[in-house]
Amino acid sequence: MKVAAILLLCMALFHQGHSNSCQGRCGYGIDTSYSCQCNTACERYNDCCSDYYTLCKEAALSCNGRCGESYNAQNPCHCNSLCPQYNNCCSDYSTLCNAVVGPTSCNGRCGESYNAQNPCHCNSQCSQYNNCCSDYSDYCSTGDSGATITDAEIKSLSETLFALDTNKASASQLILDPQALVADSQTSSQSDLSSRPLYKFVDENALFSRPTYAALLNLFDNYKRITGQAESFTSQQLTEQETFLKETMLNTELGRELFAFLYTKGVYKSEAEFIEDLKNMWFGLYSRYNGAMDSSGFEHIFAGEIKGGKVSGFHNWIRFYLLEKRGELNYYSHSFNGPWSNYPDVLGLQFHWDGYYKQVGSAVIGCSPEFDLALYSLCYIARPGKYCYLSLGGKQFIIQTYTWDNSSYGNGKKYIGSAYPVSM
């Protein structure tokens, strides 16, 4: 009994001596027996110990002694081989950890200067010297343009375009009613779990009167949704295609910013070349079924199609709203809701379109037509057929693009097969 009492007394004295310090406690969960805390939550609740920032925060912001450690959600930044992919490395990761973790990937390294210490390289000359990292083509190549566009440049440009999207919907102009959220395993059940429409209110007077919205609306009725039925366009409809491209890409600061970037990278020599290539890329016809010239990148992504008895493509929020308003589309549920609190946001949707089901139709919600077109075009030009990693408001956003490989335009350039937000 005396020994037990002495042990308890010692523990109590030790606890008392350390209750106001983070010594040996950094990252621990909340413990109410202590008078102050030593994890990231303490900043929110204003109950950090006085030495938290010295002992815990400064250490957590550095990779010193942490290279290759396992992921810990409590840490504000990370020091493992996956942090470049998720853009959450500590600022000194490349300095302290490359030798430990090993710079064997081009993730986050495209275009870097040559360093003889690295086992493989990610600059424009590595192909010549046969010393590229194995994933160089995944992260650093650009497809048809021949220019090198790095992951960092794509993320930086996407943040700029995000800030320039002044035509996006505000919270008062667009009100959603998402209702049922389902697991990925439930998306194939075709269960209508939402009794009300997804779109509770859209301020058409404010939004649809804007030139880029009006130009997009003029295009939706130009297509036959069933694949296998050849598309043909009148002179008026061809003019509508050109108007849409000029309004979105030449008459907005956002579109001009995209062109300026691609111009400096040597992808296009003039605005005329830029618009002509987008016209072929987006509106050029090819065959998805039975040899008929029945499809294009625009029709597939913005308008949506029916192929094989189900909805194919369909990744535009304005198209969804208009069809739902007319009673031709029935919203069932959503399986993904992005981390953004304002527009644009991303949703993964389940719905029936006049008798045909879409298991997961992801879309950027509330953005302007020029923002949609600019991001998809950027990703298709820079990362054709691959994941394209962007950043919107400091949060990672991924677009998957697909090339159409069965036919081409110009000097072997490939049409857009598909592009959509990754919802997972």
Side-chain angles (χ1 to χ4, degrees):
M1 289 291 291
K2 289 183 178 180
V3 174
I6 291 172
L7 287 173
L8 288 172
L9 177 61
C10 289
M11 291 174 65
L13 290 173
F14 177 83
H15 188 283
Q16 182 179 5
H18 290 78
S19 63
N20 294 318
S21 173
C22 285
Q23 186 70 41
R25 295 172 52 210
C26 293
Y28 281 21
I30 296 174
D31 187 342
T32 56
S33 66
Y34 287 97
S35 59
C36 59
Q37 306 299 323
C38 302
N39 52 57
T40 55
C42 75
E43 297 179 59
R44 186 165 64 251
Y45 295 106
N46 198 29
D47 61 352
C48 300
C49 296
S50 59
D51 56 3
Y52 165 76
Y53 288 93
T54 303
L55 296 180
C56 304
K57 189 64 179 290
E58 290 181 9
L61 290 173
S62 172
C63 284
N64 190 10
R66 297 172 53 207
C67 295
E69 70 177 6
S70 299
Y71 176 77
N72 183 344
Q74 295 293 322
N75 291 334
C77 60
H78 305 279
C79 305
N80 54 54
S81 60
L82 292 177
C83 72
Q85 177 180 344
Y86 292 97
N87 196 31
N88 58 8
C89 299
C90 296
S91 59
D92 55 4
Y93 169 79
S94 60
T95 302
L96 298 180
C97 298
N98 269 349
V100 178
V101 178
T104 59
S105 170
C106 284
N107 195 349
R109 296 175 53 209
C110 298
E112 71 175 8
S113 300
Y114 176 78
N115 183 343
Q117 299 298 317
N118 292 336
C120 61
H121 305 278
C122 306
N123 54 54
S124 59
Q125 292 184 309
C126 70
S127 298
Q128 177 182 345
Y129 291 97
N130 197 32
N131 58 7
C132 299
C133 296
S134 60
D135 58 2
Y136 173 77
S137 62
D138 292 332
Y139 288 107
C140 304
S141 63
T142 61
D144 293 340
S145 70
T148 297
I149 300 176
T150 69
D151 291 343
E153 288 173 326
I154 293 174
K155 289 178 180 177
S156 177
L157 178 59
S158 60
E159 284 287 4
T160 300
L161 299 179
F162 179 75
L164 289 176
D165 191 16
T166 56
N167 274 336
K168 66 183 178 183
S170 67
S172 62
Q173 292 168 338
L174 172 56
I175 301 174
L176 298 178
D177 185 11
Q179 301 165 80
L181 174 64
V182 301
D184 290 340
S185 59
Q186 295 178 273
T187 58
S188 61
S189 66
Q190 301 195 30
S191 301
D192 187 355
L193 302 176
S194 300
S195 59
R196 300 178 301 278
L198 172 63
Y199 288 91
K200 188 173 183 179
F201 172 73
V202 174
D203 190 341
E204 294 187 20
N205 292 331
L207 295 174
F208 292 175
S209 60
R210 297 171 184 175
T212 57
Y213 285 82
L216 176 63
L217 296 178
N218 285 338
L219 295 172
F220 284 141
D221 62 356
N222 293 350
Y223 296 95
K224 308 178 185 76
R225 65 174 184 160
I226 306 294
T227 57
Q229 300 181 16
E231 303 286 1
S232 60
F233 304 112
T234 66
S235 59
Q236 174 62 33
Q237 290 171 335
L238 292 173
T239 298
E240 290 171 353
Q241 294 174 7
E242 294 180 358
T243 298
F244 174 69
L245 293 175
K246 290 177 180 178
E247 288 291 350
T248 54
M249 295 294 100
L250 299 185
N251 293 346
T252 65
E253 189 176 357
L254 188 157
R256 291 192 294 270
E257 184 70 22
L258 174 63
F259 167 71
F261 172 80
L262 296 173
Y263 177 81
T264 60
K265 302 301 291 185
V267 179
Y268 300 110
K269 296 182 176 66
S270 66
E271 287 185 343
E273 182 186 0
F274 174 52
I275 294 299
E276 183 65 22
D277 192 44
L278 291 184
K279 183 169 68 172
N280 286 312
M281 183 190 304
W282 280 99
F283 293 101
L285 292 175
Y286 50 82
S287 175
R288 287 190 188 269
Y289 181 72
N290 205 26
M293 302 300 282
D294 58 355
S295 186
S296 67
F298 178 87
E299 179 181 7
H300 182 80
I301 297 165
F302 281 81
E305 300 176 300
I306 304 299
K307 182 181 179 183
K310 59 184 180 181
V311 178
S312 180
F314 202 130
H315 303 289
N316 181 258
W317 77 269
I318 299 171
R319 176 68 161 166
F320 190 109
Y321 162 71
L322 292 171
L323 291 171
E324 185 179 58
K325 178 184 175 183
R326 295 206 299 256
E328 297 177 20
L329 186 150
N330 184 14
Y331 167 65
Y332 278 13
S333 58
H334 67 289
S335 54
F336 177 83
N337 193 339
W340 296 272
S341 56
N342 297 313
Y343 300 121
D345 198 357
V346 176
L347 289 176
L349 306 168
Q350 292 74 54
F351 58 91
H352 254 273
W353 177 17
D354 198 17
Y356 299 93
Y357 186 63
K358 181 69 174 181
Q359 184 170 343
V360 181
S362 58
V364 184
I365 308 296
C367 68
S368 67
E370 58 265 34
F371 186 78
D372 244 355
L373 185 67
L375 287 195
Y376 288 143
S377 298
L378 168 65
C379 285
Y380 188 73
I381 292 167
R383 298 292 184 267
K386 300 169 184 163
Y387 268 14
C388 178
Y389 293 90
L390 307 106
S391 180
L392 305 181
K395 298 178 176 64
Q396 180 171 269
F397 175 54
I398 305 172
I399 286 176
Q400 170 73 62
T401 68
Y402 288 97
T403 60
W404 184 257
D405 296 331
N406 297 330
S407 57
S408 61
Y409 68 92
N411 188 22
K413 287 190 172 184
K414 296 177 180 178
Y415 300 104
I416 293 180
S418 188
Y420 56 84
V422 175
S423 55
M424 63 179 186

